[in-house]
Amino acid sequence: AARLAKGRGTETAPPPAPELLDVKPADEPRIAVVICRCGMNIAGALDVQKLADYVAELPRVAHVGITPFGCDGTMIKELLSSGEYNRIVVGACSPRTHEPLFQMIAEAGGLNRHLLEIVNLRNHCTWVHAREGKEAVLRKAKRLLRMGVARAALLEPLQAKELPVTQGCLVLGGTPAGIACAAALGRMGFAAHLVIAGDEPGSAFPEKIRAVAARALETVRDDPAVTVHPRSAASAIAGFVGNYTATIRNAEGEQEVAVGAVVVATKEAMGVTEGFEQALYLARDEDGFLVSALGNLNTLDSTTDGVFLCGDARDEVSALSSFISGEAAASRAACILAHPSLTTSPVISRVVDENCDGCAYCVEPCPAHAITLIEYRRGGEIKKTVDINEALCKGCGSCMATCPKRGAHVRNFSPDHFSAMVNALLEAS
């Protein structure tokens, strides 16, 4: 990435905006259903034709098609390109693995990607019930698709949001990892603010480590993209991925810097009020190291988007391993900083203002810390409600599950959607 820094962005072009069917929430649903045979994964245990005949009789279903492999996109794009259908239900495999692919196919066919419903006929039906016989599998498949069609009728088109990214990084710690990270970011062309407790980067390194880190130390000293803050600590950090604000304090005063990512390269708490783990919602394990997103499966990403861990922050490692992990953390941070903006999913929570009374039951359970209790004046009275930071929200639904008054729900996963699916199941039974 450092070698390509001068050419970044010169060979890229934005993808053409998709030409999508204009679908409004009030439009009468015209649902196309595509059932995938998936080789023998589905068709080997399920009478696909009988299922298709059943689904064709369901309300709001305008067409049912059977395809050998839905993930090739051929039938879906062909149906949607006609402009006759404003919802698509795909009976196939797991949305956990294939939803992004099917969403891309739907969009290529001219339909907003959030007007798609995937019914998991493979994992939830044929794979787990094959030994019970085809009639049992068919009964389950009918119920699943009936529920999927009921939910699809209530889906609304959603639009992704763009958030600007500050293309700089805060690096906490003058450890070998911190030096390596700041140097790598500088060589990539990104602004790096290296906060160290000592007077000079690398001054406390043993001679053999200084030899390994010689080039990085030279970059940190001479590269204008790297700003070293000696005898300093970060007294405050706030914000979210792409848009963090840090206050750096030393004997001469305080300086506020804006960054898009944060790299923690030290086990110590670098002076942030109450410790940086509170400011950035991080957690420590029983040995005092910061907890990464997926343990050994992903040791660089923290549990907070845009915050990365390396060196002594995440494990007791040798100086050489610390140095290498610092360069790796720079690579992860660059995945954010290399873009002028971030696209966020619109499948996030929204406040239903007429129902929310500001009880704040949803604030503490939110794992993304995206909800804040606020007050405002309406009609001469003070009203309490909550505000959801759309950049932080992950759409997990904890707020919806906690709220006793239907005051918050995840877009396209509202209580009405679930009620429709439950009622469809009861009707099928």
Side-chain angles (χ1 to χ4, degrees), residues 122-135:
R122 188 186 69 182
N123 304 52
H124 289 174
C125 190
T126 58
W127 275 4
V128 292
H129 297 296
R131 294 183 180 179
E132 298 173 28
K134 285 200 170 186
E135 286 302 315

Side-chain angles (χ1 to χ4, degrees), residues 11-168:
E11 297 293 329
T12 62
E19 297 182 7
L20 303 180
L21 182 68
D22 183 20
V23 180
K24 297 178 175 57
D27 291 348
E28 180 67 23
R30 302 187 308 277
I31 302 173
V33 179
V34 173
I35 300 174
C36 176
R37 299 179 64 87
C38 198
M40 294 301 290
N41 280 291
I42 293 175
L46 172 66
D47 191 325
V48 174
Q49 187 58 57
K50 284 186 178 180
L51 178 63
D53 294 341
Y54 170 81
V55 173
E57 300 299 321
L58 295 177
R60 303 184 182 89
V61 172
H63 179 86
V64 180
I66 300 173
T67 182
F69 292 99
C71 52
D72 71 4
T74 303
M75 177 174 285
I76 296 174
K77 287 187 283 189
E78 189 177 287
L79 288 171
L80 293 179
S81 63
S82 69
E84 297 180 23
Y85 313 107
N86 56 20
R87 306 288 191 284
I88 183 78
V89 174
V90 180
C93 50
S94 173
R96 182 70 178 170
T97 56
H98 282 64
E99 185 175 57
L101 173 62
F102 280 119
Q103 287 181 334
M104 183 177 68
I105 292 170
E107 193 168 81
L111 191 68
N112 182 284
R113 60 175 52 212
H114 299 286
L115 295 174
L116 160 78
E117 171 74 353
I118 300 178
V119 175
N120 194 347
L121 292 179
R122 188 186 69 182
N123 304 52
H124 289 174
C125 190
T126 58
W127 275 4
V128 292
H129 297 296
R131 294 183 180 179
E132 298 173 28
K134 285 200 170 186
E135 286 302 315
V137 173
L138 180 60
R139 281 196 301 272
K140 175 71 175 287
K142 287 179 177 179
R143 292 172 179 174
L144 291 176
L145 266 172
R146 189 182 188 101
M147 294 166 69
V149 167
R151 179 172 178 265
L154 301 177
L155 295 177
E156 298 180 6
L158 301 177
Q159 304 299 326
K161 292 182 178 292
E162 294 283 328
L163 295 175
V165 171
T166 302
Q167 293 176 305

Side-chain angles (χ1 to χ4, degrees), residues 388-426:
I388 297 175
N389 185 326
E390 295 189 350
L392 291 176
C393 179
K394 300 300 178 188
C396 70
S398 294
C399 54
M400 181 167 69
T402 307
C403 181
K405 303 178 181 68
R406 291 192 173 193
H409 68 245
V410 178
R411 291 183 174 92
N412 271 351
F413 286 93
S414 74
D416 290 340
H417 289 81
F418 291 109
S419 294
M421 294 175 76
V422 171
N423 289 334
L425 175 62
L426 294 175

